[in-house]
Amino acid sequence: MGMERGWFAVRHDFDALPLSPDIDVRCAAFSEIDALSEMARRLVPGVQLGTAELARYFIFDPQSILTFSRRGDLLGGMAFLFLNDRGHDALLLDEICLTAPETRYLASATEEVAAVYIWAIAATGRGVAGLGKAAAHLRQARFRSADCYAQPSTAAGRDIMRATGFEPVPSFQPDLWCYERPWNRRPMRLPGSIIQARSFADARH
C-alpha cells in the first residue's frame, strides 16, 4: 500500500470518508490494467505484479480493481481480494500467498464475500481523495458485511490505516490491520446503562 503522505489530518472511519466530487472512481477497464500495474510497481514497495497477473485477477472479478481519475487523468487505483470463508481463514493463519493468491480463496460471483483484503492502493497527489468513493464501492450488498484487512507497506500507508479506523489484529499474518464495519461492531455496554438496569431491578423488589 503506497501513496503520498500528509493527506489525512482528520480521523474518519473508512465508511465515513467524504466523497470527493472532483475525483472519479470506477471499476477499471481492461485497457487500463497495464498503466495500473506500472503505477503499483512504482508506488507500492514490494509489488512485483506484472500486467498479465493483474489481468488474470481482473478477469476473475472485474469489481476487484478501481481507478481514481480527475478530468480524465489517471491518478491511481485500488485493488482488492474478495475472500471467501477459506480465504479469510487462510489470511489470518498466514496460509495464503498474498503476492499470487490462489483463486480458490477468492469468492466467486455465487459465494459470499467473507472478508475484503485491500491488496494495493497506488495513488499520486489528489488521487488518494478517491478513498471515500472506494469505500462506497465496498458498501454494495455483495461486500457490505465483510470486514476489511490490509498490510501497510509504507509510513504513509500506516498513517492512512490509523486515520480511517483500521487497527492491528492478532494473527499469524505479520502486521495485519483490520477495519471492522460499523454495522458488525458489538454495541458497547456503558456503565451507566448497567447501573440503570440494576436500579430498575432493585425497584421491582
Side-chain angles (χ1 to χ4, degrees):
M1 180 181 297
M3 63 285 292
E4 295 179 3
R5 298 196 73 167
W7 191 79
F8 280 95
V10 180
R11 182 187 165 92
H12 289 284
D13 253 21
F14 185 57
D15 278 300
L17 287 171
L19 305 180
S20 179
D22 60 337
I23 305 296
D24 182 38
V25 177
R26 57 175 174 74
C27 291
F30 190 81
S31 59
E32 295 171 308
I33 298 298
D34 187 39
L36 289 169
S37 174
E38 186 279 326
M39 191 174 281
R41 288 195 301 273
R42 181 163 47 89
L43 294 175
V44 186
V47 167
Q48 303 294 326
L49 205 64
T51 301
E53 292 92 344
L54 194 60
R56 176 172 168 248
Y57 293 103
F58 173 80
I59 291 166
F60 182 84
D61 194 334
Q63 288 191 303
S64 65
I65 302 174
L66 301 178
T67 59
F68 300 172
S69 57
R70 185 171 186 236
R71 297 178 189 148
D73 293 331
L74 185 66
L75 300 179
M78 194 165 179
F80 310 99
L81 299 176
F82 298 131
L83 303 173
N84 56 25
D85 283 329
R86 278 176 304 177
H88 189 192
D89 289 344
L91 175 67
L92 296 175
L93 295 170
D94 194 18
E95 292 176 353
I96 184 172
C97 175
L98 289 170
T99 53
E102 298 173 58
T103 52
R104 67 191 176 99
Y105 291 131
L106 306 182
S108 67
T110 58
E111 280 183 296
E112 183 177 348
V113 176
V116 173
Y117 180 76
I118 299 175
W119 206 14
I121 302 172
T124 59
R126 287 281 300 158
V128 74
L131 280 178
K133 289 181 178 177
H137 175 73
L138 296 179
R139 287 194 291 275
Q140 295 178 76
R142 185 183 173 209
F143 318 116
R144 187 176 167 82
S145 63
D147 291 335
C148 302
Y149 293 85
Q151 287 175 298
S153 56
T154 64
R158 196 174 297 271
D159 289 347
I160 285 188
M161 292 290 94
R162 290 195 189 98
T164 54
F166 282 76
E167 295 180 351
V169 290
S171 71
F172 291 98
Q173 186 73 241
D175 202 24
L176 186 67
W177 293 55
C178 177
Y179 168 74
E180 190 176 20
R181 311 303 286 271
W183 37 89
N184 290 346
R185 297 171 196 166
R186 295 179 185 87
M188 288 178 63
R189 296 194 63 183
L190 300 175
S193 63
I194 296 169
I195 292 166
Q196 287 171 358
R198 284 180 182 156
S199 300
F200 179 71
D202 291 341
R204 293 175 60 188
H205 289 300

